[in-house]
Amino acid sequence: MKRAKAAFTLVELLVVLLLMGIIYALAFNYMMPKNGKETASDLTLRTITSFFRSDALYGKKDLVLYCMEDGDCLLASDGRAQQTDIKLRRSGITYIITPDETLQTVEYPHIKIGTEEFKPRFSIHCRADGLFDPQIVREGDTWFYIHPFGEVYPFSDPVSMVSFIRRSDYLPDQAGYAQ
């Protein structure tokens, strides 16, 4: 008597298809671009310039992102709030480079936009031409330099950061652009 070959049952095939569907759904969700709200909730200093570029006013109007100590941020343009539900994972402190290449913290005054009044911990300015004001922000032990063309460079120490900025010709005494 001939023996029948073993085969998968219908239930086993359905379980495999179900598992494949779940895996594809997770991969599809991960690969698809996020909308503005999801991007804002995942906002970090490394991804800050892509946040600006995803805004409808990018390249048309000046945009300023004001961030407070608790990580809450407000995007403003023309003195009006554009978006207020922005949360930065960690807040930072703004520094400027003085002409003698030392770093000095920036103290912001109280700002009033609409009915909101606050004192930002730092702000990032993107001009209507799409260029960023050069910015140095320290978040914990990491120093971030936001280049005028929108690249964000992380550094572990301020000495290597200042050396990099000097090579990129954006020091106040060399180019005047960083002031």
Side-chain angles (χ1 to χ4, degrees):
M1 188 162 155
K2 223 174 188 186
R3 192 164 206 219
K5 290 185 179 181
F8 291 107
T9 65
L10 183 59
V11 172
E12 290 170 330
L13 289 174
L14 289 174
V15 167
V16 168
L17 287 175
L18 177 69
L19 290 174
M20 286 175 58
I22 292 171
I23 290 170
Y24 287 140
L26 291 173
F28 184 75
N29 185 36
Y30 177 76
M31 298 301 284
M32 289 302 295
K34 308 290 187 223
N35 66 21
K37 220 169 232 198
E38 291 170 335
T39 303
S41 67
D42 294 335
L43 191 62
T44 65
L45 283 173
R46 292 179 195 262
T47 62
I48 200 92
T49 57
S50 61
F51 170 76
F52 279 98
R53 289 185 180 118
S54 69
D55 192 275
L57 294 177
Y58 174 76
K60 298 174 186 157
K61 294 193 176 231
D62 284 3
L63 296 169
V64 181
L65 183 71
Y66 296 103
C67 295
M68 279 50 89
E69 192 168 339
D70 61 359
D72 288 338
C73 299
L74 178 130
L75 183 65
S77 178
D78 294 332
R80 291 189 302 262
Q82 298 297 320
Q83 200 173 350
T84 57
D85 60 345
I86 306 165
K87 182 81 171 168
L88 193 65
R89 285 188 188 167
R90 292 179 63 186
S91 186
I93 301 171
T94 301
Y95 289 82
I96 59 168
I97 297 179
T98 61
D100 64 350
E101 295 184 12
T102 58
L103 295 172
Q104 179 181 354
T105 59
V106 175
E107 287 292 323
Y108 290 97
H110 280 276
I111 295 174
K112 185 171 184 177
I113 297 177
T115 60
E116 300 275 333
E117 188 171 338
F118 54 91
K119 183 174 180 177
R121 181 86 178 246
F122 69 93
S123 69
I124 297 174
H125 181 236
C126 180
R127 300 185 329 209
D129 60 7
L131 293 177
F132 290 82
D133 284 350
Q135 189 80 26
I136 297 169
V137 180
R138 184 178 57 125
E139 177 188 83
D141 292 334
T142 306
W143 296 79
F144 293 94
Y145 172 60
I146 301 172
H147 193 275
F149 297 122
E151 295 295 322
V152 179
Y153 298 98
F155 296 92
S156 59
D157 64 283
V159 174
S160 60
M161 179 186 61
V162 170
S163 175
F164 173 83
I165 295 170
R166 185 183 316 114
R167 287 191 310 273
S168 72
D169 291 330
Y170 282 101
L171 282 176
D173 61 340
Q174 293 180 2
Y177 192 79
Q179 290 193 3

